[in-house]
Amino acid sequence: MNRVAGKVVLITGAARGQGRSHAVHLADEGADIIAFDLCENIASNEYPLATPADLEETGKLVEKAGRRVVTAKVDVRDRAALKRELDAAVAKLGRLDVVVANAGIAPLGNEVPVEGFVDAFDVDFLGVVNTIHVSLPHLNGGASIIATGSVAGLVPQTGFNGQQALQGPGGDGYGLAKKMLQTYTHSLALTLGPKSIRVNAIHPTNCNTDMLQSPPMFRTFRPDLENPTAEDAKVTFPFMQAMPTPWVEPEDVSHAVVYLSSDESRFVTGQQLRVDAGAGLKLGV
């Protein structure tokens, strides 16, 4: 307990999934939370995104842990709105110590229009950059920046096992965004090192969230079926990992987020941490 006591943490994509898990785990360890989420659907993205009710529930869970929370409906693609809402939240909570740039979408499928490339790249890369850049004026020595990548996004777009790993324009945009996060976080870590601000990326494998449990993902893992179900996909989900599991849970990623947010990782920077049950080993990334 109290591994991040007194810290204030910004989390994007906080309404559900990994973002909500990070918020709850960090609150349990003593942090106050700034929770941002779009809370709207994006046309090119087939599966539903989080709702205002989801974000409200995240806020209630943080408060249940006895911590302060500021929630706001914010699109990470809108840097001006991000700055406005973050400045207001920091003014209310008094400081900013950790940034978890977690918001992401995966508009997979060969039927997705080219707008899927734009949306995936803008949310998954530009959204991370916007979040971090508006946060920089608030960060001091000892701060931590954490970006959410993806092991699947690190696979070459020619795919694996003779198949395209991430299908369609949205898959291409997703993969490009996650690959660029490696270079971006590495360069930013070098830039911010003299200020004792550390920058790391976490790359999960399949994670048991709404993004994974969705028809586009089922079709990605079962291209042999026209309308695969969750049970159909669950048969092939384990093939991606070296360890015998179909996925990791959001809390498995949250444990890494808490570590990188805490002073336990005060000299850990520029790392690409895979929480992937050995998927990277199998995929050769």
Side-chain angles (χ1 to χ4, degrees):
M1 299 294 291
N2 297 319
R3 294 168 67 193
V4 289
K7 294 183 185 292
V8 174
V9 182
L10 166 64
I11 305 169
T12 61
R16 69 182 190 191
Q18 291 185 51
R20 176 186 286 176
S21 178
H22 301 341
V24 171
H25 279 74
L26 287 161
D28 284 343
E29 292 289 347
D32 294 329
I33 304 297
I34 301 169
F36 289 169
D37 204 291
L38 173 62
C39 298
E40 292 180 5
N41 291 329
I42 293 176
S44 67
N45 196 76
E46 179 181 345
Y47 62 90
L49 299 177
T51 66
D54 292 324
L55 184 58
E56 182 180 358
E57 178 62 19
T58 295
K60 290 178 179 177
L61 291 170
V62 171
E63 290 174 338
K64 185 178 179 180
R67 305 310 307 173
R68 297 181 296 167
V69 61
V70 174
T71 63
K73 181 178 176 295
V74 187
D75 188 339
V76 294
R77 296 170 294 182
D78 186 342
R79 188 181 292 196
L82 267 172
K83 182 181 186 306
R84 181 178 64 251
E85 295 295 344
L86 180 60
D87 289 351
V90 172
K92 183 174 182 178
L93 297 180
R95 58 189 295 156
L96 182 64
D97 303 281
V98 180
V99 178
V100 184
N102 169 76
I105 60 171
L108 305 181
N110 291 320
E111 73 287 351
V112 172
V114 71
E115 286 77 14
F117 181 96
V118 175
D119 291 336
F121 184 79
D122 284 0
V123 173
D124 297 344
F125 184 73
L126 295 182
V128 171
V129 171
N130 287 339
T131 299
I132 293 171
H133 288 188
V134 300
S135 299
L136 288 177
H138 299 290
L139 300 177
N140 297 307
S144 177
I145 296 170
I146 306 162
T148 300
S150 168
V151 168
L154 304 182
V155 177
Q157 288 304 100
T158 51
F160 59 92
N161 295 332
Q163 300 175 355
Q164 184 180 5
L166 299 167
Q167 298 172 352
D172 291 338
Y174 179 94
L176 178 61
K178 300 303 186 181
K179 292 174 182 66
M180 288 179 66
L181 281 181
Q182 293 185 99
T183 305
Y184 170 74
T185 52
H186 182 270
S187 296
L188 190 61
L190 284 171
T191 298
L192 298 181
K195 297 180 180 295
S196 294
I197 297 174
R198 55 199 190 277
V199 185
N200 296 283
I202 298 176
H203 299 279
T205 187
N206 302 335
C207 189
N208 191 19
T209 66
D210 293 90
M211 179 186 288
L212 183 70
Q213 304 294 353
S214 66
M217 201 67 74
F218 300 157
R219 292 193 295 269
T220 295
F221 278 82
R222 291 303 304 267
D224 56 314
L225 300 176
E226 184 175 354
N227 293 300
T229 65
E231 288 302 311
D232 294 327
K234 193 173 181 179
V235 174
T236 58
F237 279 148
F239 295 171
M240 192 162 155
Q241 288 71 238
M243 300 173 74
T245 182
W247 49 62
V248 299
E249 296 293 340
E251 54 263 35
D252 294 312
V253 185
S254 296
H255 295 318
V257 169
V258 170
Y259 167 68
L260 290 175
S261 299
S262 76
D263 292 341
E264 297 164 11
S265 61
R266 62 187 181 137
F267 295 127
V268 178
T269 194
Q271 299 302 303
Q272 308 293 320
L273 176 59
R274 300 200 303 254
V275 182
D276 68 349
L281 298 174
K282 288 190 71 174
L283 300 175
V285 298

